[in-house]
Structures are given as C-alpha cells and as structure tokens.
Amino acid sequence: MPTLGLCGCCWALRPRYKRLVDNIFPEDPEEGLVKANMEKLTFFALSAPEKLDRIAAYLSERLTRELNRHRYGYVCIAMEAMEQLLLACHCQSINLLVESFLSTLRLLLEADKPHLHILATNSFVKFANIEEDTPSYHRSYDFFVSRFSEMCHSDHEDLDTRNKIRVSGIRGLQGVVRKTVDDELQVNIWEPRHMEQIVPALLVNLQQHSQNDSGLFSAFPSLFSGSPAEQTEVCFRELLCRAAYGHINNAIKPVLMHLDSHSLWQGRGFAVQCFQIIMYSIQSQHSHLVIQQLLGHLDANSRSPASVRAGIVEVLSEAAVIEATGSVGPTVLEVFNTLLRQLRQSVDYQLTGYYDNGGKHKTSSIEEKKLQDAVIKTIGSFANTLPIYQRSEVMLFIMGKIPVPGIYPALGSPNSGFEGSRMIQVMLLKSLLQVSEHYESSNLLTALPSSFLEPLLSFTLMEDPEIRLLVLSILTSLIDRRHNASRVAFDVSSLEMKEDRCSRQDNLFMRKHAQRLYRHVYLASREENSGRSHYQALFTLLAVLSVELANEEVVVDLIRLILALQMTLSNQECLSVFNRCGIHALCAAFLNLLSQLGPPPTLHQHITQVIESRQKDAPHLLPEVMFCDKPRLPEGELKVDEALLFIQSKICEALAGSSYSAHCERFNTPYTPQLTGTQTRVTNHPLFPRHVNFSRSVREDLSLIWFFFLSEDRGVVEEEERRKRMEVVERFQTAPFEEIAAQCGTSLLQSKLNQVFELIIRPPPSPSGHSAPRSTPVYEMKFPDLCVY
C-alpha cells in the first residue's frame, strides 16, 4: 500500500497515457495546445487503441477539474485535444472515445457561460461530420436535442451574444440530424417528441428574420451571412430534404401547430414563406402529403375566423403552384371537394353573421368574401397542376355541385335558402372559370361533352345577370383554344386573328351542339336585365365561334341567328331602349367582324354601308357608343328605319356565286330556337319555376311533371292558361307525391299514356296487307306471385 501511494504521488511513475495527456497542456493556457506532445499522444492512441477509453476518461477528468476551477483556457485545450483524437481515430475504436466526449459536452452545455455553449456546439458539429465505420447501439442524443433547441430560443440581453447562441443551437440541431438521420440504430429523430422541439426552434428564428430582415435579406444576402435566419433556413431545408415518406407528417404537424399557436396564418406573410421552403425542399414525390396535411388542417379550422381559413387557403394555393408535377395524390377530387365544402360553409357564415353554431363569434361579409376569393383562386391553382384529362373530370365534378333549384339538391344548408343557393352558384361558376381559363384541348368534343355542356347552358337563361355573364365567359374560354378572346375588338382592322380550316372533330362538335349554342345565345340576348358586359361577352363568344369553328354552314347559320335577333326586336316591345340598342349594336359588331373573316367583299360592302348610315343617323345602334362607360340613348321611343338594318336579300346576293351559295337556301327558313335536351327543356321552359325546391320524390319524377305540362289544353286564352299553370305548379310544390300520382292517374294523363303505349306495342304492317294478331302488352300481363319482387 505505501508503494502504491508513492507511485501515485510521483509523476514519473504515473501511467504513460496520463503523462502524455498532461504534456499537451502548457504552463500558460494562452500558448495553446502543445502540438509536438499532441502528436505523441495521437501516435500512442493509434498504436494502442485499447487505451482510448482511458485516454478519453482522463481528458474528461482534466477538463472537469479545470472547469470547476474556472480555468477556461485549459478547458478549450482539452476540448481541442479530444477533437483531434476523434478525427484521427475514426475506426472501430472510436466508440471508446465517444461516450467520454459526449459526457464532456454535456458538462459544457450545462454551464452558465455562453462561450462554453458555443465551444461545445462547435465540437459536436465536428463530431457529427465524422463518418463512423461501426454503428453504436447505446448512444442517446435526447439531451442534445433539448439543449440545442433551448439555445435557439435564447433571449440573452446582448444582441450579438444572443445571435451567436442561437446560431450555435441551430448548427447543433443540424449536427444531430446529420448524425442520426441515416443511422437506424440511433435515436429516431423523426419521432414527434423530437420534431416538436426541433421544428418550433427553427421557426422562431425564421419568423424573426421574416419580420425584421425579409426585404434586406433577399436584396443583400451577404449582410446576413452567419445570422440565425440564414442558418435556420439552411438547417430547415436539410432536415426536410432528408425526410422519407413516413416522416413527412411528423415534420409538418409541428409547423401547423406553431402557426396556430402564434396566430401566423393571417395575411400573406410568414406562413406562405414557410411552406415555400417546405415544398421546395422535400422530395417531389412526397409533395401531395404536404397538401393533404394542409387540407386536413383546413377542415380542422372550419370553426376558426375567416382570416385564419383564408391564410390556410392562401398557403394551399402557393403550394399547388410549386407542386407543378400534378402529383396531388390518389384522391384528386377530394382536394376539390374539401375546397367546395369550405365555400359552402363560408356562405352559411356570411348569411348568419357567425362562424360557429353557438352564435358567439361574429364574422363579416368582407372577411368571408376574401376567403371565398382565396378558395376560388386555389381551385384554379390546383387545376392548373393537373393533366388535361383530370381537368375535365374536375370541371364535371364542380358542375355536379352547382345547385339548380328544383333539379339538383342545393349545396347550401337548409337555412341559407335561395340567396345561399345563388351565392354558391356564382362562386362555383367562378371556380369553373378559373379552371377553364387554362384548359387547352384540341378536341372540343372532349372539352365540352353533353354531360357538361347541357347543364352549363341551362344557366344562360337564369334571372341572375352575374350567373349568365359567368357562363358566357366559361364557354368562351373553353372554345377559345388560340387565345383570340383577349384580342377581339369591334374595330378588327388592327387585329391578327388566327383562322384555320375547321377540323373533322370541330365539324362533329358543331353538328352535335350548334343548335343548342345558337338557341342559348338567342335567348340570352333578349334578357331584360342584361348590361353592357353581357353584350360584350356575347360578341366575344360569337367572334370566337366564327374564328375557331367557322365553315360555310356555320357562317350562314350565324348570319341567320343575327338576322333573327334583329327581326325580333321590332316585335319585342317589353325590352328597354337600352336592351334593344344593345342588341342592334351586337348585331353590327359581329357582322362587321364576320364580313372580314372570309365571306366575299360584297358582303363587307353591305355591312359597311349600314354601319356608315348608323354613324350618320343613329349612332346609338353602334357598339362604340352603346358599349362605352356612358352610352348615349335616343330621346323618346326607339325608331329604326329600314336603311339602318341589315337586309337578308342583300346578304344573299352578296354570298351568291361564292362557296357560301350552296347554303344560301337556308336563309329562306327564318331562324327559330330549337328545344334540345330533356334537362334544358325542363329547367328553362317558361312554365318551369326558376326557384322551386321540390321534394325528393317529386324530383325523381320530373318527367311526369313535364308530361303533365305538355298535356294541358292550350285552347284557352293566355291569361287563363297562365293562371292554371301556376295552380299546377303550386300543387306540385305543396301536395304529397301520392296525391299527385292519384290525380294524374284519373286525368287526361292516363289517356295520353294509353295512346303512347298503344303506339309502342302496335305491330308493324304485314307485307301481305293483313295485320298481325295483337299481342298482350307487357304492362297487362299477369305474373305469378313468385315472379314478382
């Protein structure tokens, strides 16, 4: 025992590794590490790797002793020595060093000296950059995640010191991520308990940069080199780019929680910037996960103020623009369903004035309208990321959500009533317009199928002028494949209109849908509450039709349509002077354009002659006067001389001898609008109420109601007939279905049905002249009970 005590006191009898460690410390700490002795210590450690754990333990002991004595110069020397040993011994034995090294860093980070925190962080970053050959099964970085995150929130009174501590904390988190993200044996850094510490710590610094230095940082990034904001963005991007498929949700959820708790959704600011970083950093195939997270968060905030919902929607819109590959995910329509649901809820909140069921939290129409505009913009942004075929599906999906009173179930709540349905109609049509403005298809049969075109055209005859204008704009944007609509003007001399020969697909489209289009243009032109914008929209639609789909037959039919409008005005006394002048101006503008797109010059001469006569005697019949901000109307009654009208006979003479002459015979038959499509006939017939909400059972038998309308005796005077029809409408609105069916069964309807069935089952005539024996109709057959379901 005395001998052992003597050996412990005598420096020469100490173990060699301790003597080598002691020799690296100079007498004056300002002289720094003794490099020659450090080389000897490194050589010894490499020669006897089994001694590494003892060397590290002794270095840690020396550092702890110097730290307790506040001899910080020697503390720095000890840390430098441990770093050099780590860099030199990146082999299987490095694990012998790491535990002592990490325990030493904990001591420094628990001290109350900022410079020691920075020293420990720098050492940890160097360690994190070392690629180890063998994994470790027992390390824990929980303390470092917690401590580095805490440093990111430093509120030190000195600004420079605070920034240094925060930068060190951010760099430390970056080191933890690098060290653990690719090693399955290490702590799972993507666990919620870690992400909930790391992500808010980064966002706090990113948020302060956004508030204070956003403009300067983008203009002069070199001024902010090494700042918390710059280091945060680098670390945040690195964290996100390493996230695998299963880690995205854990990384995004703390972002949403942070934005909620700090009320950062309002306005176009930090939330947008934050998700721009996210979308640009994650792997592109994972982008749809972020969008799904945002959609779910939007649903979760359905009872939040409009500014919060609008902020989330704005972020969604920006995310969709960045996510340009079209990979919105497997549930594309669910995205639009969520957005349309937000529109519905916003309408309810706007009408009630509260954004909760309890009626405690008020909202304003201005805030809700801002949200609605943001949702509509976002629908367009999402649709623009999709391929063409999916955009068609989206348009059909939105069209199916538009409430048609009496036909489709209303999208709004039962309390919103007619006004709620009207508001939703407007907003959904605006959404359709957003999608259609960027829709490009070479085949109009695909772009405008009957399932989409028929319900869309039915809205051109609704009473609301805003709805009619939106529908005209949607039709124009879908037909205008060459973007001529923006260049259409009443004076076409300076325009460069693109005109190609009508393709086979376009001819098929016009043969199938031309009469339907003409009919709705004709009827929409005669609406009493149409304004200047409606006539301009009709002119643009007709101009696009003539450029995109023009052939000889189409041109002749369009001229017949215009002549029919002009002729109807003389008999349409119920229209105001402005409406009649507007239709005359529409006819003049379109014929002037059409005459310059291919028909013979003689037609242009006649059109020009009429226009010059109007300029002299009736300028109120010209578009440049009627479609300006302050139209000049004639005083008194509107009188139009024959010299101011376009004459059918002169137009026929002008087209004679040209390629159009083969179709001139069609002028002999005045244009009359044709009823096409069952749904269009029902919804737009004058007898059909525009704002009716039938019960489900009655809606299912609309064809029965329509047949009943057609079976009415039309021999009475018009006023009496109108009164009877209103009684029928009221009965079908209020009476139960069983009563309606019973009344119809004993009325004229039954005889009409019998006549129809008689025609259906009547056998064809026999070649011999003898009629075949009459067979028993199916509806009269008697079946056994077992055959009846």
Side-chain angles (χ1 to χ4, degrees):
M1 290 297 295
T3 306
L4 291 176
L6 180 63
C7 293
C9 297
C10 181
W11 184 85
L13 298 178
R14 293 167 61 83
R16 186 182 179 189
Y17 73 91
K18 288 188 176 183
R19 284 182 281 128
L20 291 173
V21 169
D22 291 336
N23 288 338
I24 66 175
F25 293 93
E27 294 182 1
D28 186 357
E30 294 182 359
E31 296 179 3
L33 182 67
V34 180
K35 295 182 179 180
N37 293 335
M38 186 65 212
E39 291 177 359
K40 295 178 181 179
L41 177 60
T42 303
F43 179 78
F44 176 79
L46 293 174
S47 303
E50 69 278 1
K51 301 286 188 179
L52 271 175
D53 56 341
R54 301 180 184 181
I55 296 174
Y58 185 62
L59 267 173
S60 178
E61 181 185 339
R62 282 292 305 263
L63 186 146
T64 303
R65 184 166 63 245
E66 304 297 348
L67 181 63
N68 293 332
R69 295 176 179 178
H70 304 289
R71 300 169 66 178
Y72 301 119
Y74 288 119
V75 171
C76 294
I77 292 174
M79 283 305 308
E80 184 180 356
M82 296 189 76
E83 292 171 9
Q84 292 193 21
L85 286 176
L86 281 172
L87 294 174
C89 301
H90 56 283
C91 58
Q92 295 183 0
S93 55
I94 192 174
N95 288 328
L96 300 174
L97 276 171
V98 170
E99 287 304 318
S100 297
F101 173 75
L102 294 179
S103 62
T104 302
L105 294 183
R106 292 190 189 96
L107 288 175
L108 297 180
L109 291 172
E110 289 172 349
D112 58 353
K113 300 295 182 180
H115 69 279
L116 294 180
H117 302 164
I118 297 173
L119 174 66
T121 303
N122 293 336
S123 296
F124 183 85
V125 171
K126 293 177 182 178
F127 162 69
N129 291 329
I130 297 175
E131 295 183 4
E132 301 184 42
D133 297 334
T134 56
S136 175
Y137 296 88
H138 53 278
R139 290 184 200 162
S140 174
Y141 297 97
D142 292 2
F143 169 81
F144 294 98
V145 171
S146 176
R147 190 69 185 95
F148 290 144
S149 300
E150 184 181 346
M151 291 170 62
C152 292
H153 294 275
S154 173
D155 56 352
H156 197 279
E157 57 185 10
D158 181 63
L159 179 61
D160 185 58
T161 303
R162 182 197 312 163
N163 287 340
K164 289 180 179 179
I165 295 174
R166 290 193 172 193
V167 168
S168 296
I170 296 166
R171 294 179 67 239
L173 291 176
Q174 190 175 14
V176 173
V177 172
R178 289 179 180 177
K179 199 65 180 175
T180 60
V181 73
D182 295 325
D183 193 345
E184 297 180 356
L185 298 176
Q186 302 292 344
V187 61
N188 186 1
I189 201 66
W190 301 107
E191 291 181 357
R193 60 191 181 96
H194 295 310
M195 286 291 103
E196 289 172 4
Q197 294 181 18
I198 295 174
V199 173
L202 299 176
L203 294 181
V204 164
N205 293 279
L206 196 63
Q207 176 186 348
Q208 290 187 351
H209 147 63
S210 177
Q211 294 174 347
N212 302 327
D213 312 318
S214 57
L216 291 175
F217 183 76
S218 58
F220 307 102
S222 59
L223 297 178
F224 295 86
S225 179
S227 66
E230 182 190 29
Q231 195 66 42
T232 297
E233 185 167 340
V234 173
C235 180
F236 197 30
R237 289 182 183 276
E238 183 173 348
L239 174 69
L240 294 168
C241 73
R242 294 173 178 268
Y245 181 86
H247 304 147
I248 295 294
N249 290 342
N250 289 343
I252 301 302
K253 187 176 179 180
V255 178
L256 302 175
M257 294 172 60
H258 181 83
L259 296 175
D260 284 342
S261 59
H262 292 80
S263 302
L264 296 174
W265 288 111
Q266 290 86 341
R268 179 185 172 89
F270 175 71
V272 172
Q273 177 197 357
C274 185
F275 275 90
Q276 283 176 339
I277 294 175
I278 293 173
M279 296 300 293
Y280 280 121
S281 300
I282 63 175
Q283 302 175 43
S284 59
Q285 65 268 28
H286 301 157
S287 298
H288 67 277
L289 294 176
V290 180
I291 293 176
Q292 289 178 356
Q293 283 277 86
L294 285 169
L295 288 170
H297 198 67
L298 180 60
D299 276 339
N301 282 271
S302 295
R303 303 292 180 185
S304 298
S307 57
V308 174
R309 287 176 277 136
I312 301 175
V313 171
E314 184 71 21
V315 171
L316 268 169
S317 178
E318 293 295 328
V321 171
I322 297 172
E323 206 285 303
T325 61
S327 174
V328 182
T331 56
V332 175
L333 296 181
E334 185 59 30
V335 173
F336 296 93
N337 195 35
T338 300
L339 295 174
L340 296 181
R341 186 163 59 247
Q342 291 299 318
L343 280 179
R344 178 195 62 196
Q345 293 174 346
S346 178
V347 169
D348 293 342
Y349 298 158
Q350 183 177 348
L351 293 175
T352 60
Y354 298 91
Y355 61 84
D356 63 334
N357 292 331
K360 298 180 180 180
H361 303 286
K362 291 185 177 181
T363 185
S364 65
S365 296
I366 297 177
E367 291 179 342
E368 294 298 336
K369 286 180 180 178
K370 288 181 180 179
L371 167 66
Q372 294 159 12
D373 292 339
V375 172
I376 292 171
K377 176 187 173 185
T378 304
I379 289 175
S381 299
F382 270 111
N384 293 337
T385 66
L386 300 174
I388 294 297
Y389 75 93
Q390 284 190 327
R391 295 188 203 181
S392 300
E393 294 178 358
V394 169
M395 289 194 294
L396 283 171
F397 181 76
I398 297 175
M399 177 59 69
K401 292 289 186 178
I402 301 179
V404 180
I407 300 294
Y408 298 128
L411 184 64
S413 66
N415 298 327
S416 61
F418 166 70
E419 179 61 20
S421 296
R422 190 202 69 83
M423 292 172 62
I424 294 174
Q425 286 173 341
V426 170
M427 287 183 288
L428 294 186
L429 288 173
K430 286 182 178 180
S431 303
L432 266 181
L433 182 59
Q434 285 282 327
V435 179
S436 63
E437 283 179 343
H438 300 279
Y439 182 85
E440 297 180 0
S441 175
S442 59
N443 189 351
L444 285 179
L445 286 172
T446 304
L448 289 168
S450 299
S451 58
F452 177 80
L453 184 60
E454 288 189 9
L456 179 65
L457 287 175
S458 68
F459 287 101
T460 60
L461 303 181
M462 294 196 70
E463 294 177 354
D464 194 300
E466 185 178 6
I467 291 177
R468 297 201 308 271
L469 185 60
L470 286 170
V471 173
L472 293 174
S473 301
I474 293 169
L475 281 172
T476 301
S477 62
L478 289 173
I479 297 174
D480 184 25
R481 295 166 296 183
R482 298 178 179 85
H483 310 290
N484 285 314
S486 59
R487 294 179 287 175
V488 169
F490 304 119
D491 180 13
V492 300
S493 59
S494 60
L495 296 179
E496 297 180 1
M497 305 292 288
K498 296 181 180 179
E499 183 180 5
D500 297 331
R501 192 66 182 172
C502 199
S503 65
R504 178 176 176 273
Q505 291 83 359
D506 292 343
N507 285 329
L508 290 174
F509 174 81
M510 291 305 291
R511 289 175 185 173
K512 186 175 182 181
H513 300 297
Q515 294 305 319
R516 185 178 290 111
L517 287 171
Y518 300 154
R519 173 180 180 267
H520 286 275
V521 169
Y522 178 85
L523 296 177
S525 302
R526 300 167 54 193
E527 290 287 343
E528 300 177 14
N529 57 358
S530 293
R532 181 189 68 177
S533 56
H534 293 83
Y535 295 118
Q536 289 176 326
L538 284 167
F539 167 69
T540 304
L541 175 60
L542 290 172
V544 168
L545 275 173
S546 61
V547 173
E548 292 283 345
L549 304 170
N551 55 35
E552 288 79 0
E553 183 179 355
V554 171
V555 169
V556 170
D557 281 343
L558 288 173
I559 295 176
R560 290 176 62 232
L561 172 63
I562 294 299
L563 292 176
L565 279 174
Q566 180 182 255
M567 181 61 66
T568 305
L569 287 175
S570 59
N571 303 322
Q572 192 80 12
E573 298 296 338
C574 62
L575 287 177
S576 65
V577 174
F578 171 80
N579 293 124
R580 299 172 70 186
C581 291
I583 297 177
H584 276 299
L586 169 65
C587 297
F590 177 66
L591 287 179
N592 182 42
L593 171 68
L594 190 64
S595 64
Q596 302 177 56
L597 295 179
T602 51
L603 176 62
H604 184 60
Q605 292 174 3
H606 172 62
I607 303 300
T608 304
Q609 182 181 357
V610 175
I611 291 177
E612 289 176 354
S613 300
R614 292 185 178 187
Q615 289 174 344
K616 181 180 178 181
D617 300 327
H620 51 270
L621 302 181
L622 294 175
E624 54 267 22
V625 175
M626 288 305 302
F627 300 159
C628 62
D629 294 333
K630 295 181 179 180
R632 301 193 301 272
L633 298 177
E635 298 180 358
E637 295 183 2
L638 176 64
K639 297 181 179 180
V640 183
D641 297 333
E642 186 176 353
L644 303 177
L645 297 176
F646 302 100
I647 307 302
Q648 173 182 331
S649 59
K650 293 184 178 181
I651 292 177
C652 290
E653 293 176 3
L655 296 178
S658 65
S659 59
Y660 298 87
S661 59
H663 304 279
C664 286
E665 293 183 359
R666 299 171 65 88
F667 284 111
N668 297 328
T669 305
Y671 172 79
T672 55
Q674 300 179 8
L675 295 177
T676 56
T678 303
Q679 181 179 344
T680 306
R681 289 198 300 271
V682 175
T683 57
N684 297 313
H685 194 271
L687 306 183
F688 194 85
R690 295 192 176 186
H691 312 308
V692 178
N693 285 316
F694 289 105
S695 64
R696 172 179 292 273
S697 60
V698 176
R699 281 202 307 268
E700 293 173 351
D701 288 272
L702 282 172
S703 58
L704 184 67
I705 300 172
W706 178 243
F707 199 95
F708 186 80
F709 285 156
L710 294 182
S711 65
E712 287 289 303
D713 184 9
R714 313 184 70 84
V716 296
V717 296
E718 183 177 354
E719 187 64 29
E720 182 67 18
E721 185 180 7
R722 180 180 180 85
R723 185 185 63 80
K724 288 184 177 181
R725 287 168 181 164
M726 293 305 297
E727 291 178 358
V728 172
V729 170
E730 183 178 0
R731 183 163 65 251
F732 278 98
Q733 282 181 315
T734 58
F737 179 71
E738 292 77 8
E739 179 181 341
I740 296 173
Q743 292 177 0
C744 292
T746 59
S747 68
L748 183 62
L749 177 63
Q750 186 62 44
S751 62
K752 296 288 186 181
L753 289 175
N754 291 335
Q755 294 177 13
V756 172
F757 290 139
E758 190 70 26
L759 292 174
I760 293 175
I761 66 173
R762 180 179 298 169
S766 174
S768 62
H770 301 287
S771 59
R774 181 180 182 276
S775 60
T776 304
V778 175
Y779 63 90
E780 292 183 0
M781 291 182 179
K782 301 297 184 181
F783 295 93
D785 292 341
L786 295 178
C787 295
V788 179
Y789 258 156

